[in-house]
Amino acid sequence: CDWSSDVCSSDLLRDRLENNTQFFRKALTERGLTIRPGQHPIVPVMIGDAALAQKVADRLLELGLYVIGFFYPVVPQGTARIRTQVSAAHTMDDLQFAVDCFAKAKQEFGL
């Protein structure tokens, strides 16, 4: 991005990131997934168990969604999660795809 351009110097990218983040957080919550509260674009999907978090992350990759499972010692024991991060570059279709993948994994693993 040429930061002197109108697109980069305007609020367009920040606003898109905010809209994307709000959509993603709301959609995951509506699907019954537990996320860490906040307004930031890093959206941890809470799993709890480390082994299960890894299995879910592996399944999401099979579905075409690359995510990372975080567990102890990176996070406190018993708070394993799937770390996701929204960006302004994501389209609504991208985000909906991710939500649908998480919903499928939720159903398959009984999250």
Side-chain angles (χ1 to χ4, degrees), residues 28 31-33 45-47 52-65 67 82 97-111:
L28 287 175
R31 294 291 185 103
L33 291 146
V45 178
M46 305 307 292
I47 305 296
L52 181 58
Q54 283 305 104
K55 288 178 185 175
V56 172
D58 290 343
R59 178 62 179 135
L60 290 169
L61 183 58
E62 290 172 0
L63 294 172
L65 183 64
V67 294
I82 305 291
F97 174 78
V99 168
D100 292 344
C101 289
F102 269 104
K104 185 171 182 68
K106 178 185 183 292
Q107 180 181 4
E108 290 177 7
F109 288 95
L111 302 176

PDB file of all heavy atoms in Angstrom, residues 28 31-33 45-47 52-65 67 82 97-111:
ATOM      1  N   LEU A  28     -19.874 -15.814  14.979  1.00  0.00           N
ATOM      2  CA  LEU A  28     -19.391 -16.956  15.770  1.00  0.00           C
ATOM      3  C   LEU A  28     -20.236 -17.138  17.018  1.00  0.00           C
ATOM      4  O   LEU A  28     -20.605 -18.270  17.366  1.00  0.00           O
ATOM      5  CB  LEU A  28     -17.921 -16.754  16.156  1.00  0.00           C
ATOM      6  CG  LEU A  28     -16.889 -16.920  15.052  1.00  0.00           C
ATOM      7  CD1 LEU A  28     -15.497 -16.560  15.574  1.00  0.00           C
ATOM      8  CD2 LEU A  28     -16.891 -18.328  14.471  1.00  0.00           C
ATOM      9  N   ARG A  31     -23.536 -18.677  16.369  1.00  0.00           N
ATOM     10  CA  ARG A  31     -23.428 -20.113  16.093  1.00  0.00           C
ATOM     11  C   ARG A  31     -23.134 -20.913  17.354  1.00  0.00           C
ATOM     12  O   ARG A  31     -22.938 -22.128  17.294  1.00  0.00           O
ATOM     13  CB  ARG A  31     -22.326 -20.370  15.059  1.00  0.00           C
ATOM     14  CG  ARG A  31     -22.620 -19.806  13.678  1.00  0.00           C
ATOM     15  CD  ARG A  31     -23.760 -20.565  12.989  1.00  0.00           C
ATOM     16  NE  ARG A  31     -23.973 -20.115  11.647  1.00  0.00           N
ATOM     17  CZ  ARG A  31     -23.573 -20.758  10.557  1.00  0.00           C
ATOM     18  NH1 ARG A  31     -22.948 -21.910  10.649  1.00  0.00           N
ATOM     19  NH2 ARG A  31     -23.816 -20.250   9.370  1.00  0.00           N
ATOM     20  N   GLY A  32     -23.060 -20.234  18.496  1.00  0.00           N
ATOM     21  CA  GLY A  32     -22.881 -20.930  19.765  1.00  0.00           C
ATOM     22  C   GLY A  32     -21.450 -21.180  20.164  1.00  0.00           C
ATOM     23  O   GLY A  32     -21.197 -21.934  21.103  1.00  0.00           O
ATOM     24  N   LEU A  33     -20.511 -20.539  19.495  1.00  0.00           N
ATOM     25  CA  LEU A  33     -19.105 -20.691  19.862  1.00  0.00           C
ATOM     26  C   LEU A  33     -18.753 -19.683  20.945  1.00  0.00           C
ATOM     27  O   LEU A  33     -19.313 -18.589  20.991  1.00  0.00           O
ATOM     28  CB  LEU A  33     -18.213 -20.509  18.639  1.00  0.00           C
ATOM     29  CG  LEU A  33     -18.381 -21.664  17.648  1.00  0.00           C
ATOM     30  CD1 LEU A  33     -18.239 -21.194  16.231  1.00  0.00           C
ATOM     31  CD2 LEU A  33     -17.393 -22.767  17.962  1.00  0.00           C
ATOM     32  N   VAL A  45     -11.198 -18.401  19.771  1.00  0.00           N
ATOM     33  CA  VAL A  45     -12.351 -19.286  19.943  1.00  0.00           C
ATOM     34  C   VAL A  45     -11.955 -20.282  21.029  1.00  0.00           C
ATOM     35  O   VAL A  45     -11.033 -21.087  20.849  1.00  0.00           O
ATOM     36  CB  VAL A  45     -12.715 -20.000  18.627  1.00  0.00           C
ATOM     37  CG1 VAL A  45     -13.886 -20.945  18.839  1.00  0.00           C
ATOM     38  CG2 VAL A  45     -13.020 -18.981  17.531  1.00  0.00           C
ATOM     39  N   MET A  46     -12.635 -20.210  22.152  1.00  0.00           N
ATOM     40  CA  MET A  46     -12.246 -20.982  23.324  1.00  0.00           C
ATOM     41  C   MET A  46     -12.673 -22.448  23.185  1.00  0.00           C
ATOM     42  O   MET A  46     -13.821 -22.736  22.862  1.00  0.00           O
ATOM     43  CB  MET A  46     -12.852 -20.354  24.584  1.00  0.00           C
ATOM     44  CG  MET A  46     -12.496 -18.878  24.764  1.00  0.00           C
ATOM     45  SD  MET A  46     -10.719 -18.531  24.706  1.00  0.00           S
ATOM     46  CE  MET A  46     -10.180 -19.317  26.217  1.00  0.00           C
ATOM     47  N   ILE A  47     -11.700 -23.329  23.443  1.00  0.00           N
ATOM     48  CA  ILE A  47     -11.941 -24.773  23.361  1.00  0.00           C
ATOM     49  C   ILE A  47     -11.770 -25.409  24.740  1.00  0.00           C
ATOM     50  O   ILE A  47     -12.541 -26.269  25.127  1.00  0.00           O
ATOM     51  CB  ILE A  47     -10.987 -25.438  22.340  1.00  0.00           C
ATOM     52  CG1 ILE A  47     -11.095 -24.782  20.972  1.00  0.00           C
ATOM     53  CG2 ILE A  47     -11.233 -26.940  22.279  1.00  0.00           C
ATOM     54  CD1 ILE A  47     -12.434 -24.911  20.296  1.00  0.00           C
ATOM     55  N   LEU A  52      -8.036 -31.370  22.267  1.00  0.00           N
ATOM     56  CA  LEU A  52      -9.216 -31.078  21.457  1.00  0.00           C
ATOM     57  C   LEU A  52      -8.966 -29.860  20.567  1.00  0.00           C
ATOM     58  O   LEU A  52      -9.375 -29.855  19.402  1.00  0.00           O
ATOM     59  CB  LEU A  52     -10.436 -30.854  22.354  1.00  0.00           C
ATOM     60  CG  LEU A  52     -11.748 -30.552  21.641  1.00  0.00           C
ATOM     61  CD1 LEU A  52     -12.127 -31.667  20.660  1.00  0.00           C
ATOM     62  CD2 LEU A  52     -12.859 -30.318  22.662  1.00  0.00           C
ATOM     63  N   ALA A  53      -8.302 -28.848  21.090  1.00  0.00           N
ATOM     64  CA  ALA A  53      -8.000 -27.656  20.291  1.00  0.00           C
ATOM     65  C   ALA A  53      -7.167 -28.038  19.066  1.00  0.00           C
ATOM     66  O   ALA A  53      -7.410 -27.528  17.963  1.00  0.00           O
ATOM     67  CB  ALA A  53      -7.273 -26.610  21.131  1.00  0.00           C
ATOM     68  N   GLN A  54      -6.221 -28.939  19.241  1.00  0.00           N
ATOM     69  CA  GLN A  54      -5.396 -29.382  18.113  1.00  0.00           C
ATOM     70  C   GLN A  54      -6.222 -30.181  17.105  1.00  0.00           C
ATOM     71  O   GLN A  54      -6.071 -30.022  15.899  1.00  0.00           O
ATOM     72  CB  GLN A  54      -4.199 -30.200  18.593  1.00  0.00           C
ATOM     73  CG  GLN A  54      -3.105 -29.334  19.170  1.00  0.00           C
ATOM     74  CD  GLN A  54      -2.655 -28.268  18.185  1.00  0.00           C
ATOM     75  OE1 GLN A  54      -3.003 -27.099  18.315  1.00  0.00           O
ATOM     76  NE2 GLN A  54      -1.911 -28.639  17.183  1.00  0.00           N
ATOM     77  N   LYS A  55      -7.105 -31.037  17.597  1.00  0.00           N
ATOM     78  CA  LYS A  55      -7.970 -31.806  16.698  1.00  0.00           C
ATOM     79  C   LYS A  55      -8.894 -30.890  15.902  1.00  0.00           C
ATOM     80  O   LYS A  55      -9.100 -31.090  14.706  1.00  0.00           O
ATOM     81  CB  LYS A  55      -8.801 -32.823  17.497  1.00  0.00           C
ATOM     82  CG  LYS A  55      -7.996 -33.987  18.033  1.00  0.00           C
ATOM     83  CD  LYS A  55      -8.867 -34.906  18.851  1.00  0.00           C
ATOM     84  CE  LYS A  55      -8.026 -36.003  19.475  1.00  0.00           C
ATOM     85  NZ  LYS A  55      -8.818 -36.853  20.365  1.00  0.00           N
ATOM     86  N   VAL A  56      -9.440 -29.890  16.583  1.00  0.00           N
ATOM     87  CA  VAL A  56     -10.326 -28.943  15.904  1.00  0.00           C
ATOM     88  C   VAL A  56      -9.541 -28.158  14.857  1.00  0.00           C
ATOM     89  O   VAL A  56     -10.007 -27.982  13.729  1.00  0.00           O
ATOM     90  CB  VAL A  56     -11.022 -28.007  16.917  1.00  0.00           C
ATOM     91  CG1 VAL A  56     -11.775 -26.896  16.210  1.00  0.00           C
ATOM     92  CG2 VAL A  56     -11.956 -28.806  17.823  1.00  0.00           C
ATOM     93  N   ALA A  57      -8.348 -27.692  15.214  1.00  0.00           N
ATOM     94  CA  ALA A  57      -7.516 -26.945  14.258  1.00  0.00           C
ATOM     95  C   ALA A  57      -7.183 -27.811  13.041  1.00  0.00           C
ATOM     96  O   ALA A  57      -7.234 -27.334  11.894  1.00  0.00           O
ATOM     97  CB  ALA A  57      -6.241 -26.451  14.934  1.00  0.00           C
ATOM     98  N   ASP A  58      -6.874 -29.084  13.278  1.00  0.00           N
ATOM     99  CA  ASP A  58      -6.588 -30.002  12.163  1.00  0.00           C
ATOM    100  C   ASP A  58      -7.813 -30.178  11.275  1.00  0.00           C
ATOM    101  O   ASP A  58      -7.710 -30.196  10.043  1.00  0.00           O
ATOM    102  CB  ASP A  58      -6.125 -31.361  12.690  1.00  0.00           C
ATOM    103  CG  ASP A  58      -4.739 -31.324  13.324  1.00  0.00           C
ATOM    104  OD1 ASP A  58      -3.998 -30.347  13.090  1.00  0.00           O
ATOM    105  OD2 ASP A  58      -4.405 -32.274  14.053  1.00  0.00           O
ATOM    106  N   ARG A  59      -8.977 -30.319  11.891  1.00  0.00           N
ATOM    107  CA  ARG A  59     -10.209 -30.487  11.108  1.00  0.00           C
ATOM    108  C   ARG A  59     -10.524 -29.233  10.306  1.00  0.00           C
ATOM    109  O   ARG A  59     -10.941 -29.322   9.144  1.00  0.00           O
ATOM    110  CB  ARG A  59     -11.379 -30.833  12.041  1.00  0.00           C
ATOM    111  CG  ARG A  59     -12.699 -30.967  11.326  1.00  0.00           C
ATOM    112  CD  ARG A  59     -12.679 -32.106  10.309  1.00  0.00           C
ATOM    113  NE  ARG A  59     -13.975 -32.223   9.663  1.00  0.00           N
ATOM    114  CZ  ARG A  59     -14.149 -32.381   8.366  1.00  0.00           C
ATOM    115  NH1 ARG A  59     -13.091 -32.463   7.558  1.00  0.00           N
ATOM    116  NH2 ARG A  59     -15.358 -32.478   7.851  1.00  0.00           N
ATOM    117  N   LEU A  60     -10.332 -28.071  10.905  1.00  0.00           N
ATOM    118  CA  LEU A  60     -10.575 -26.827  10.187  1.00  0.00           C
ATOM    119  C   LEU A  60      -9.645 -26.711   8.981  1.00  0.00           C
ATOM    120  O   LEU A  60     -10.063 -26.255   7.914  1.00  0.00           O
ATOM    121  CB  LEU A  60     -10.427 -25.633  11.127  1.00  0.00           C
ATOM    122  CG  LEU A  60     -11.543 -25.507  12.169  1.00  0.00           C
ATOM    123  CD1 LEU A  60     -11.179 -24.459  13.220  1.00  0.00           C
ATOM    124  CD2 LEU A  60     -12.874 -25.185  11.530  1.00  0.00           C
ATOM    125  N   LEU A  61      -8.412 -27.160   9.130  1.00  0.00           N
ATOM    126  CA  LEU A  61      -7.487 -27.148   7.987  1.00  0.00           C
ATOM    127  C   LEU A  61      -7.995 -28.071   6.883  1.00  0.00           C
ATOM    128  O   LEU A  61      -7.956 -27.722   5.702  1.00  0.00           O
ATOM    129  CB  LEU A  61      -6.078 -27.554   8.429  1.00  0.00           C
ATOM    130  CG  LEU A  61      -5.009 -27.514   7.348  1.00  0.00           C
ATOM    131  CD1 LEU A  61      -4.893 -26.124   6.726  1.00  0.00           C
ATOM    132  CD2 LEU A  61      -3.673 -27.958   7.929  1.00  0.00           C
ATOM    133  N   GLU A  62      -8.517 -29.241   7.262  1.00  0.00           N
ATOM    134  CA  GLU A  62      -9.110 -30.145   6.261  1.00  0.00           C
ATOM    135  C   GLU A  62     -10.267 -29.482   5.519  1.00  0.00           C
ATOM    136  O   GLU A  62     -10.489 -29.749   4.341  1.00  0.00           O
ATOM    137  CB  GLU A  62      -9.625 -31.428   6.940  1.00  0.00           C
ATOM    138  CG  GLU A  62      -8.552 -32.344   7.460  1.00  0.00           C
ATOM    139  CD  GLU A  62      -9.116 -33.491   8.287  1.00  0.00           C
ATOM    140  OE1 GLU A  62     -10.360 -33.576   8.457  1.00  0.00           O
ATOM    141  OE2 GLU A  62      -8.309 -34.303   8.777  1.00  0.00           O
ATOM    142  N   LEU A  63     -10.975 -28.608   6.229  1.00  0.00           N
ATOM    143  CA  LEU A  63     -12.109 -27.904   5.625  1.00  0.00           C
ATOM    144  C   LEU A  63     -11.668 -26.692   4.804  1.00  0.00           C
ATOM    145  O   LEU A  63     -12.490 -26.056   4.153  1.00  0.00           O
ATOM    146  CB  LEU A  63     -13.095 -27.458   6.711  1.00  0.00           C
ATOM    147  CG  LEU A  63     -13.803 -28.578   7.470  1.00  0.00           C
ATOM    148  CD1 LEU A  63     -14.589 -28.013   8.646  1.00  0.00           C
ATOM    149  CD2 LEU A  63     -14.710 -29.369   6.533  1.00  0.00           C
ATOM    150  N   GLY A  64     -10.378 -26.376   4.866  1.00  0.00           N
ATOM    151  CA  GLY A  64      -9.844 -25.266   4.084  1.00  0.00           C
ATOM    152  C   GLY A  64      -9.605 -23.988   4.866  1.00  0.00           C
ATOM    153  O   GLY A  64      -9.371 -22.935   4.282  1.00  0.00           O
ATOM    154  N   LEU A  65      -9.645 -24.077   6.180  1.00  0.00           N
ATOM    155  CA  LEU A  65      -9.443 -22.910   7.033  1.00  0.00           C
ATOM    156  C   LEU A  65      -8.189 -23.121   7.876  1.00  0.00           C
ATOM    157  O   LEU A  65      -8.143 -24.019   8.710  1.00  0.00           O
ATOM    158  CB  LEU A  65     -10.664 -22.708   7.943  1.00  0.00           C
ATOM    159  CG  LEU A  65     -10.649 -21.491   8.838  1.00  0.00           C
ATOM    160  CD1 LEU A  65     -10.669 -20.203   8.009  1.00  0.00           C
ATOM    161  CD2 LEU A  65     -11.842 -21.527   9.782  1.00  0.00           C
ATOM    162  N   VAL A  67      -5.936 -22.235  10.795  1.00  0.00           N
ATOM    163  CA  VAL A  67      -5.963 -21.601  12.109  1.00  0.00           C
ATOM    164  C   VAL A  67      -4.898 -22.253  12.987  1.00  0.00           C
ATOM    165  O   VAL A  67      -4.365 -23.304  12.651  1.00  0.00           O
ATOM    166  CB  VAL A  67      -7.345 -21.719  12.787  1.00  0.00           C
ATOM    167  CG1 VAL A  67      -8.408 -20.945  12.042  1.00  0.00           C
ATOM    168  CG2 VAL A  67      -7.757 -23.173  12.931  1.00  0.00           C
ATOM    169  N   ILE A  82      -8.501 -21.648  19.747  1.00  0.00           N
ATOM    170  CA  ILE A  82      -8.110 -21.498  18.349  1.00  0.00           C
ATOM    171  C   ILE A  82      -7.971 -20.001  18.124  1.00  0.00           C
ATOM    172  O   ILE A  82      -8.925 -19.246  18.355  1.00  0.00           O
ATOM    173  CB  ILE A  82      -9.177 -22.066  17.384  1.00  0.00           C
ATOM    174  CG1 ILE A  82      -9.502 -23.519  17.693  1.00  0.00           C
ATOM    175  CG2 ILE A  82      -8.759 -21.843  15.947  1.00  0.00           C
ATOM    176  CD1 ILE A  82      -8.410 -24.492  17.392  1.00  0.00           C
ATOM    177  N   PHE A  97     -17.276 -18.066   5.257  1.00  0.00           N
ATOM    178  CA  PHE A  97     -16.669 -19.389   5.091  1.00  0.00           C
ATOM    179  C   PHE A  97     -16.055 -19.854   6.407  1.00  0.00           C
ATOM    180  O   PHE A  97     -16.254 -21.001   6.833  1.00  0.00           O
ATOM    181  CB  PHE A  97     -15.609 -19.350   3.977  1.00  0.00           C
ATOM    182  CG  PHE A  97     -14.845 -20.626   3.836  1.00  0.00           C
ATOM    183  CD1 PHE A  97     -15.407 -21.718   3.191  1.00  0.00           C
ATOM    184  CD2 PHE A  97     -13.563 -20.751   4.354  1.00  0.00           C
ATOM    185  CE1 PHE A  97     -14.707 -22.904   3.064  1.00  0.00           C
ATOM    186  CE2 PHE A  97     -12.858 -21.942   4.233  1.00  0.00           C
ATOM    187  CZ  PHE A  97     -13.423 -23.024   3.583  1.00  0.00           C
ATOM    188  N   ALA A  98     -15.312 -18.965   7.072  1.00  0.00           N
ATOM    189  CA  ALA A  98     -14.679 -19.319   8.342  1.00  0.00           C
ATOM    190  C   ALA A  98     -15.732 -19.648   9.399  1.00  0.00           C
ATOM    191  O   ALA A  98     -15.603 -20.638  10.127  1.00  0.00           O
ATOM    192  CB  ALA A  98     -13.781 -18.180   8.813  1.00  0.00           C
ATOM    193  N   VAL A  99     -16.774 -18.850   9.467  1.00  0.00           N
ATOM    194  CA  VAL A  99     -17.854 -19.093  10.433  1.00  0.00           C
ATOM    195  C   VAL A  99     -18.503 -20.447  10.154  1.00  0.00           C
ATOM    196  O   VAL A  99     -18.741 -21.236  11.079  1.00  0.00           O
ATOM    197  CB  VAL A  99     -18.898 -17.954  10.387  1.00  0.00           C
ATOM    198  CG1 VAL A  99     -20.156 -18.331  11.161  1.00  0.00           C
ATOM    199  CG2 VAL A  99     -18.300 -16.657  10.911  1.00  0.00           C
ATOM    200  N   ASP A 100     -18.767 -20.745   8.891  1.00  0.00           N
ATOM    201  CA  ASP A 100     -19.384 -22.021   8.532  1.00  0.00           C
ATOM    202  C   ASP A 100     -18.482 -23.202   8.898  1.00  0.00           C
ATOM    203  O   ASP A 100     -18.970 -24.233   9.374  1.00  0.00           O
ATOM    204  CB  ASP A 100     -19.725 -22.054   7.043  1.00  0.00           C
ATOM    205  CG  ASP A 100     -20.832 -21.080   6.669  1.00  0.00           C
ATOM    206  OD1 ASP A 100     -21.555 -20.594   7.572  1.00  0.00           O
ATOM    207  OD2 ASP A 100     -20.965 -20.782   5.465  1.00  0.00           O
ATOM    208  N   CYS A 101     -17.185 -23.044   8.697  1.00  0.00           N
ATOM    209  CA  CYS A 101     -16.238 -24.105   9.073  1.00  0.00           C
ATOM    210  C   CYS A 101     -16.247 -24.321  10.582  1.00  0.00           C
ATOM    211  O   CYS A 101     -16.272 -25.464  11.047  1.00  0.00           O
ATOM    212  CB  CYS A 101     -14.826 -23.761   8.596  1.00  0.00           C
ATOM    213  SG  CYS A 101     -14.587 -23.870   6.819  1.00  0.00           S
ATOM    214  N   PHE A 102     -16.223 -23.231  11.335  1.00  0.00           N
ATOM    215  CA  PHE A 102     -16.275 -23.364  12.792  1.00  0.00           C
ATOM    216  C   PHE A 102     -17.587 -24.014  13.235  1.00  0.00           C
ATOM    217  O   PHE A 102     -17.594 -24.837  14.149  1.00  0.00           O
ATOM    218  CB  PHE A 102     -16.100 -22.003  13.474  1.00  0.00           C
ATOM    219  CG  PHE A 102     -14.674 -21.674  13.798  1.00  0.00           C
ATOM    220  CD1 PHE A 102     -13.969 -20.772  13.024  1.00  0.00           C
ATOM    221  CD2 PHE A 102     -14.037 -22.257  14.882  1.00  0.00           C
ATOM    222  CE1 PHE A 102     -12.644 -20.461  13.320  1.00  0.00           C
ATOM    223  CE2 PHE A 102     -12.723 -21.959  15.195  1.00  0.00           C
ATOM    224  CZ  PHE A 102     -12.029 -21.049  14.402  1.00  0.00           C
ATOM    225  N   ALA A 103     -18.685 -23.664  12.598  1.00  0.00           N
ATOM    226  CA  ALA A 103     -19.975 -24.259  12.953  1.00  0.00           C
ATOM    227  C   ALA A 103     -19.967 -25.764  12.688  1.00  0.00           C
ATOM    228  O   ALA A 103     -20.487 -26.550  13.483  1.00  0.00           O
ATOM    229  CB  ALA A 103     -21.095 -23.573  12.187  1.00  0.00           C
ATOM    230  N   LYS A 104     -19.366 -26.159  11.576  1.00  0.00           N
ATOM    231  CA  LYS A 104     -19.257 -27.585  11.261  1.00  0.00           C
ATOM    232  C   LYS A 104     -18.402 -28.305  12.308  1.00  0.00           C
ATOM    233  O   LYS A 104     -18.777 -29.380  12.786  1.00  0.00           O
ATOM    234  CB  LYS A 104     -18.689 -27.769   9.859  1.00  0.00           C
ATOM    235  CG  LYS A 104     -18.647 -29.206   9.404  1.00  0.00           C
ATOM    236  CD  LYS A 104     -18.275 -29.276   7.926  1.00  0.00           C
ATOM    237  CE  LYS A 104     -18.258 -30.681   7.403  1.00  0.00           C
ATOM    238  NZ  LYS A 104     -19.564 -31.317   7.341  1.00  0.00           N
ATOM    239  N   ALA A 105     -17.272 -27.707  12.658  1.00  0.00           N
ATOM    240  CA  ALA A 105     -16.402 -28.312  13.675  1.00  0.00           C
ATOM    241  C   ALA A 105     -17.111 -28.375  15.034  1.00  0.00           C
ATOM    242  O   ALA A 105     -16.968 -29.356  15.766  1.00  0.00           O
ATOM    243  CB  ALA A 105     -15.103 -27.521  13.787  1.00  0.00           C
ATOM    244  N   LYS A 106     -17.876 -27.336  15.348  1.00  0.00           N
ATOM    245  CA  LYS A 106     -18.631 -27.332  16.605  1.00  0.00           C
ATOM    246  C   LYS A 106     -19.571 -28.520  16.658  1.00  0.00           C
ATOM    247  O   LYS A 106     -19.646 -29.225  17.660  1.00  0.00           O
ATOM    248  CB  LYS A 106     -19.414 -26.024  16.746  1.00  0.00           C
ATOM    249  CG  LYS A 106     -20.267 -25.943  17.997  1.00  0.00           C
ATOM    250  CD  LYS A 106     -21.112 -24.673  17.998  1.00  0.00           C
ATOM    251  CE  LYS A 106     -21.912 -24.534  19.265  1.00  0.00           C
ATOM    252  NZ  LYS A 106     -22.959 -25.497  19.452  1.00  0.00           N
ATOM    253  N   GLN A 107     -20.257 -28.747  15.569  1.00  0.00           N
ATOM    254  CA  GLN A 107     -21.203 -29.866  15.510  1.00  0.00           C
ATOM    255  C   GLN A 107     -20.467 -31.204  15.584  1.00  0.00           C
ATOM    256  O   GLN A 107     -20.856 -32.100  16.334  1.00  0.00           O
ATOM    257  CB  GLN A 107     -22.001 -29.780  14.213  1.00  0.00           C
ATOM    258  CG  GLN A 107     -23.001 -30.894  14.046  1.00  0.00           C
ATOM    259  CD  GLN A 107     -23.770 -30.793  12.730  1.00  0.00           C
ATOM    260  OE1 GLN A 107     -23.498 -29.932  11.905  1.00  0.00           O
ATOM    261  NE2 GLN A 107     -24.699 -31.700  12.545  1.00  0.00           N
ATOM    262  N   GLU A 108     -19.388 -31.344  14.832  1.00  0.00           N
ATOM    263  CA  GLU A 108     -18.655 -32.610  14.793  1.00  0.00           C
ATOM    264  C   GLU A 108     -18.003 -32.950  16.129  1.00  0.00           C
ATOM    265  O   GLU A 108     -17.927 -34.121  16.503  1.00  0.00           O
ATOM    266  CB  GLU A 108     -17.582 -32.559  13.705  1.00  0.00           C
ATOM    267  CG  GLU A 108     -18.142 -32.570  12.308  1.00  0.00           C
ATOM    268  CD  GLU A 108     -17.076 -32.458  11.237  1.00  0.00           C
ATOM    269  OE1 GLU A 108     -15.865 -32.502  11.536  1.00  0.00           O
ATOM    270  OE2 GLU A 108     -17.463 -32.331  10.041  1.00  0.00           O
ATOM    271  N   PHE A 109     -17.507 -31.945  16.854  1.00  0.00           N
ATOM    272  CA  PHE A 109     -16.782 -32.199  18.094  1.00  0.00           C
ATOM    273  C   PHE A 109     -17.619 -31.917  19.340  1.00  0.00           C
ATOM    274  O   PHE A 109     -17.142 -32.098  20.464  1.00  0.00           O
ATOM    275  CB  PHE A 109     -15.504 -31.345  18.139  1.00  0.00           C
ATOM    276  CG  PHE A 109     -14.446 -31.815  17.186  1.00  0.00           C
ATOM    277  CD1 PHE A 109     -14.344 -31.236  15.922  1.00  0.00           C
ATOM    278  CD2 PHE A 109     -13.564 -32.829  17.516  1.00  0.00           C
ATOM    279  CE1 PHE A 109     -13.373 -31.658  15.025  1.00  0.00           C
ATOM    280  CE2 PHE A 109     -12.595 -33.261  16.618  1.00  0.00           C
ATOM    281  CZ  PHE A 109     -12.503 -32.674  15.374  1.00  0.00           C
ATOM    282  N   GLY A 110     -18.865 -31.475  19.152  1.00  0.00           N
ATOM    283  CA  GLY A 110     -19.719 -31.209  20.296  1.00  0.00           C
ATOM    284  C   GLY A 110     -19.219 -30.068  21.161  1.00  0.00           C
ATOM    285  O   GLY A 110     -19.314 -30.123  22.390  1.00  0.00           O
ATOM    286  N   LEU A 111     -18.696 -29.050  20.534  1.00  0.00           N
ATOM    287  CA  LEU A 111     -18.138 -27.913  21.292  1.00  0.00           C
ATOM    288  C   LEU A 111     -19.235 -27.097  21.952  1.00  0.00           C
ATOM    289  O   LEU A 111     -20.289 -26.909  21.421  1.00  0.00           O
ATOM    290  CB  LEU A 111     -17.313 -27.008  20.347  1.00  0.00           C
ATOM    291  CG  LEU A 111     -16.156 -27.681  19.618  1.00  0.00           C
ATOM    292  CD1 LEU A 111     -15.512 -26.696  18.665  1.00  0.00           C
ATOM    293  CD2 LEU A 111     -15.140 -28.204  20.612  1.00  0.00           C
TER     294      LEU A 111
END
